[in-house]
Amino acid sequence: MGSEETGRQSHVGKPLNKWYHRIMNYFCISCIIMFAITLLLVAAFIVMVLGRTAEGINPYLPGFLTGMVKLLEPLTAYPYLPLLTIFGPLLGGPVEAFIGKRSESFRDFTVVFSTFGTFVLILAMYPQVAAGGIINTIPGVFGYGLHFRVDMLSYIMVSTAGILWLMVSIYAHEYMGMEQHRDRFYLFMSITFGGVLGTVMAADILTMFLFFELMTFSSYLLVAHNQSPDSILAGNNYIYMGVGGGLSVLIGMILLLFNTNHLDFVFLATELSELGWLQYAISGFFIIGFGIKAGMLPLHIWLPKAHPVAPTPASALLSGLLIKIGAYGLLRMSTSFFMPAAAMISDKSDPLWDLSKNMGVVIIWIGIITMAVGVFMALQQGNMKKMLAYHSISQMGYIVMGIGVASYLGYIGAMGFAGSIYHTINHAFFKALLFMVVGVIYLRTHELDMYKLGGLWRQMPFTALVCLIAALGITGMPGFNGFASKSILHHAIVEAYEYGHPSFRYAEIIFTIVSGGTVCSFIKLFSYAFLGKCPEKYQQLPKEGNGMMQMAMGGLALLIIGIGMAPGFIMDQLIIPAASGFTYDAYFINKYLVGMNFFNTKDMMGMIPVYLLGIGIFVAGRQFDLFHLHMPKWMDFELILYKPIYRNVLRLSRGITAHYEMRTNNADVYIYALILVTSLFFLAGYFR
């Protein structure tokens, strides 16, 4: 009976296996074609930016690139590209889930194809954005409408999101084969994508808030995807902190509306300067709200809990992009609400810069502390995903510090602005790639503890290569993308003490030490995972897979190298035009940013002591067992701050529900939803 059943399964399994490989080949060939077209489109985009003359497209360009540019031209004039871009993923998600009930491979193809289509729409926006921006409106929502405006700052974020989401979608097909509930995962992955796009293209704080919340609630399902106790706990931490952040933004928005009668992103420093202490309260609510999403200390506790339990594609998106939305919110606040209009100021010492300057001091030091604590905690981790999570906190510290310098220096703060947005782009690519590398290692070995690995470069040579590329990017090696943005951020903090207070000299010293700690971390990761002796149980691992994961990782590796070798393109064509749209000194931009020589001797030689410091920390750490230290309990923010708050809120909610004999779960979420709905109806009535 048993042998007969086995034979029947074998007989049935052959056509099923053949069918599977046919579909698999169809998916792989489709992805390869779309990947190749993506490379051509990126080349065409560069041509569209650089290759135009007064008469049109440069006739000396290669014919196939000229053809790609002409192919895009009819689409570039369409006025509603932002709305198509946002609602494509929002409507596509349910369609993909429906298709998944019938064919998982066709669903995965649809996910990749729809993301590819969204990326094409994003590229097509550029001519209109470069010409002054795109404005779209959906009237009547809450009596105020949803307003979208794509300027160069939001375009930088949208284009980064588009390319990263496409690479993760290709990668996810093979990785998610080991997970359950795949239809649900792709549904909420698409909704999260729409939320991200809507947030960064919002023209006012109400529209941003609505899509920000959509992004938060949909990404919760990505964090808690596998429904294990650890995942549910991490998801609860994520949603509680996200709800708190959203509530903080909501309070700031209501206070802003009542006191300035504005919700759109315009220069409001003049109006806020008349509010006294209230201007700092409004600013503080926004900083807390967006700082939670950015993983800024001491609001970071959700991040190291979420990454180890989330599926790797979700981790790549969380760290590569979603936490950047918090940084984008901070940057958008600092370049609108904190910033005066150019016509209203006399010079950099104008009193209208006081709010920006004072908040900038706070943000700089929060950024410095965030990067230092993040790198220290990363060095103590054996779990590779948790290590990368703490490094995300540390790298966000760099970005937050840059935003702080831009606010602190105000009129001459363009260097901080440029460094923060450039590092946002670069970190998205190398950190997503690092999570993908860890995902491949886990898929092959089912092990996340780097101390139990070793010698894997023989079994996974391509994975080892792209890991090395990503590590060189994040540590700031010249020729890789992180060098450019870290150099700009270093110039920014130097300017903070040269043009501002001398105490920022200490911030610059901490900056250098943290950079050395980053080098040490990735020497540790690469050496423990890929070098040394391979454990016997991993010596006979099969080949690296069907190539889709490698193709996605290779795409990000190419971006890291491409940006690193030609850093001036993003600076000159994207970042400088973005900075020129705000109240930054045009003379300063032209003198220090335009035509910046990234590969100057001083900056390149400056990396030598950083790498030597990193090597020294690594040697000392191994020699004296310094990689297993722990923060003292009095520095544990979760223990001393969040757990007491949680216990008191829980005690209060239980007391209330017991008093009224009601049973509710997650009372704080329901209360928040009630506050949110009431506030939105109030706003709707206000604008009628």
Side-chain angles (χ1 to χ4, degrees):
M1 178 75 176
S3 60
E4 183 182 345
E5 185 177 347
T6 303
R8 184 164 56 246
Q9 287 175 349
S10 176
H11 177 74
V12 173
K14 287 181 180 178
L16 285 176
N17 196 43
K18 192 178 296 184
W19 174 85
Y20 170 79
H21 283 292
R22 190 181 298 122
I23 293 295
M24 193 70 167
N25 290 336
Y26 170 73
F27 175 83
C28 293
I29 291 169
S30 302
C31 285
I32 291 169
I33 292 171
M34 281 187 279
F35 184 83
I37 294 174
T38 299
L39 294 180
L40 291 175
L41 284 172
V42 171
F45 174 78
I46 295 172
V47 168
M48 188 166 60
V49 174
L50 297 178
R52 288 183 176 273
T53 64
E55 292 77 26
I57 301 174
N58 192 325
Y60 298 103
L61 291 170
F64 72 93
L65 289 181
T66 303
M68 294 291 289
V69 174
K70 288 182 177 179
L71 193 65
L72 283 174
E73 280 188 338
L75 188 60
T76 59
Y78 187 67
Y80 298 108
L81 286 174
L83 291 180
L84 279 179
T85 304
I86 294 167
F87 287 99
L90 292 179
L91 298 176
V95 174
E96 293 157 6
F98 176 78
I99 292 172
K101 300 295 184 183
R102 287 148 182 81
S103 170
E104 292 206 10
S105 290
F106 189 60
R107 176 206 60 210
D108 292 358
F109 166 77
T110 307
V111 169
V112 175
F113 184 79
S114 63
T115 309
F116 170 76
T118 302
F119 180 62
V120 172
L121 295 176
I122 290 169
L123 290 181
M125 288 187 209
Y126 180 81
Q128 294 186 65
V129 174
I134 313 174
I135 297 175
N136 286 174
T137 299
I138 302 177
V141 180
F142 301 116
Y144 180 72
L146 298 179
H147 304 275
F148 304 94
R149 181 173 185 271
V150 188
D151 60 7
M152 196 58 77
L153 174 58
S154 53
Y155 184 77
I156 291 170
M157 294 297 299
V158 166
S159 55
T160 303
I163 189 68
L164 185 61
W165 224 277
L166 179 58
M167 294 299 107
V168 171
S169 297
I170 294 172
Y171 176 94
H173 171 78
E174 185 177 351
Y175 185 92
M176 290 304 296
M178 63 181 287
E179 297 282 349
Q180 303 295 320
H181 312 296
R182 290 181 287 274
D183 289 336
R184 185 184 68 194
F185 178 86
Y186 284 113
L187 168 64
F188 286 101
M189 181 175 161
S190 293
I191 293 174
T192 301
F193 190 24
V196 167
L197 296 174
T199 301
V200 298
M201 288 194 281
D204 59 73
I205 188 64
L206 175 60
T207 305
M208 176 184 269
F209 170 76
L210 293 173
F211 281 92
F212 186 80
E213 292 300 274
L214 174 65
M215 177 189 72
T216 297
F217 282 98
S218 58
S219 58
Y220 161 77
L221 273 299
L222 303 182
V223 173
H225 173 75
N226 68 29
Q227 300 176 208
S228 68
D230 287 342
S231 296
I232 297 300
L233 180 61
N236 287 344
N237 271 276
Y238 178 77
I239 200 66
Y240 292 155
M241 295 298 290
V243 163
L247 186 58
S248 184
V249 172
L250 178 63
I251 294 171
M253 178 176 69
I254 292 173
L255 290 174
L256 183 75
L257 176 63
F258 284 173
N259 289 279
T260 68
N261 203 32
H262 277 287
L263 288 176
D264 45 333
F265 294 127
V266 294
F267 302 129
L268 287 180
T270 302
E271 289 84 349
L272 289 176
S273 66
E274 300 171 357
L275 300 181
W277 65 268
L278 190 57
Q279 64 183 313
Y280 294 102
I282 294 171
S283 303
F285 281 120
F286 285 131
I287 290 172
I288 291 171
F290 291 116
I292 287 174
K293 185 64 70 180
M296 188 175 75
L297 255 70
L299 310 170
H300 67 291
I301 64 165
W302 65 269
L303 209 154
K305 294 179 182 293
H307 282 299
V309 298
T312 293
S315 294
L317 294 174
L318 279 168
S319 185
L321 195 63
L322 266 66
I323 60 175
K324 309 301 188 307
I325 304 305
Y328 172 80
L330 292 173
L331 194 58
R332 184 58 81 178
M333 297 304 109
S334 67
T335 54
S336 55
F337 301 156
F338 296 180
M339 185 173 275
M344 303 297 294
I345 60 169
S346 54
D347 56 24
K348 64 180 182 180
S349 60
D350 194 289
L352 287 177
W353 286 109
D354 286 352
L355 172 63
S356 181
K357 182 177 180 179
N358 293 335
M359 297 308 295
V361 173
V362 175
I363 295 172
I364 288 174
W365 284 111
I366 289 176
I368 292 293
I369 295 169
T370 299
M371 69 167 75
V373 173
V375 80
F376 173 81
M377 293 303 297
L379 285 169
Q380 308 308 312
Q381 306 306 316
N383 183 300
M384 293 181 289
K385 291 186 78 173
K386 185 168 279 192
M387 174 208 159
L388 293 178
Y390 276 112
H391 260 295
S392 293
I393 294 170
S394 180
Q395 295 296 307
M396 288 306 298
Y398 283 88
I399 295 170
V400 170
M401 184 212 72
I403 296 170
V405 172
S407 296
Y408 175 67
L409 294 180
Y411 194 51
I412 56 172
M415 190 71 75
F417 173 89
S420 61
I421 194 65
Y422 209 153
H423 204 59
T424 296
I425 299 168
N426 289 337
H427 182 260
F429 296 144
F430 54 61
K431 186 52 67 67
L433 178 52
L434 286 165
F435 270 108
M436 288 179 176
V437 166
V438 171
V440 171
I441 294 173
Y442 180 73
L443 201 62
R444 305 286 306 288
T445 66
H446 297 285
E447 183 60 70
L448 286 173
D449 189 343
M450 69 178 78
Y451 299 130
K452 297 179 181 178
L453 301 171
L456 293 179
W457 72 269
R458 294 178 182 86
Q459 285 72 27
M460 294 182 272
F462 184 81
T463 303
L465 175 62
V466 295
C467 180
L468 181 61
I469 291 170
L472 293 173
I474 195 172
T475 55
M477 175 65 74
F480 297 83
N481 64 346
F483 172 71
S485 53
K486 284 194 170 184
S487 295
I488 299 170
L489 287 169
H490 184 255
H491 292 319
I493 195 62
V494 169
E495 288 178 359
Y497 71 75
E498 287 182 346
Y499 296 114
H501 198 275
S503 64
F504 290 118
R505 180 71 178 87
Y506 299 105
E508 192 253 346
I509 294 171
I510 297 172
F511 181 101
T512 303
I513 295 171
V514 170
S515 297
T518 303
V519 171
C520 173
S521 292
F522 289 95
I523 293 175
K524 177 186 171 186
L525 173 65
F526 191 82
S527 62
Y528 277 109
F530 292 104
L531 303 181
K533 183 179 179 180
C534 181
E536 186 176 344
K537 61 180 177 179
Y538 303 135
Q539 290 178 2
Q540 303 301 321
L541 290 175
K543 293 197 304 183
E544 287 199 272
N546 66 10
M548 293 301 98
M549 299 173 84
Q550 286 69 32
M551 187 170 70
M553 294 190 296
L556 291 178
L558 287 175
L559 284 169
I560 291 168
I561 296 172
I563 295 171
M565 297 301 292
F569 176 79
I570 288 178
M571 174 65 91
D572 295 337
Q573 305 302 327
L574 298 175
I575 295 175
I576 290 175
S580 300
F582 302 113
T583 312
Y584 293 123
D585 184 10
Y587 171 79
F588 187 93
I589 292 173
N590 289 326
K591 182 176 181 181
Y592 295 107
L593 297 185
V594 175
M596 177 181 284
N597 176 20
F598 288 95
F599 299 112
N600 62 80
T601 303
K602 183 178 179 181
D603 285 345
M604 293 178 70
M605 295 298 290
M607 292 307 299
I608 294 176
V610 170
Y611 275 88
L612 290 176
L613 176 61
I615 294 169
I617 296 172
F618 178 71
V619 172
R622 293 193 66 173
Q623 183 71 27
F624 301 105
D625 196 28
L626 300 178
F627 295 143
H628 299 89
L629 303 177
H630 298 283
M631 283 279 196
K633 288 188 176 181
W634 60 268
M635 293 184 67
D636 187 336
F637 292 108
E638 184 175 8
L639 185 65
I640 65 173
L641 181 61
Y642 294 107
K643 284 188 176 179
I645 293 174
Y646 173 77
R647 284 195 295 268
N648 288 326
V649 169
L650 194 62
R651 189 180 299 115
L652 178 63
S653 65
R654 284 175 175 171
I656 293 173
T657 55
H659 179 73
Y660 291 101
E661 295 182 351
M662 294 171 59
R663 289 181 171 230
T664 60
N665 293 318
N666 297 328
D668 49 349
V669 176
Y670 295 138
I671 291 169
Y672 170 73
L674 179 62
I675 294 172
L676 173 60
V677 171
T678 304
S679 301
L680 291 176
F681 274 110
F682 179 79
L683 290 172
Y686 183 89
F687 286 109
R688 289 191 187 280

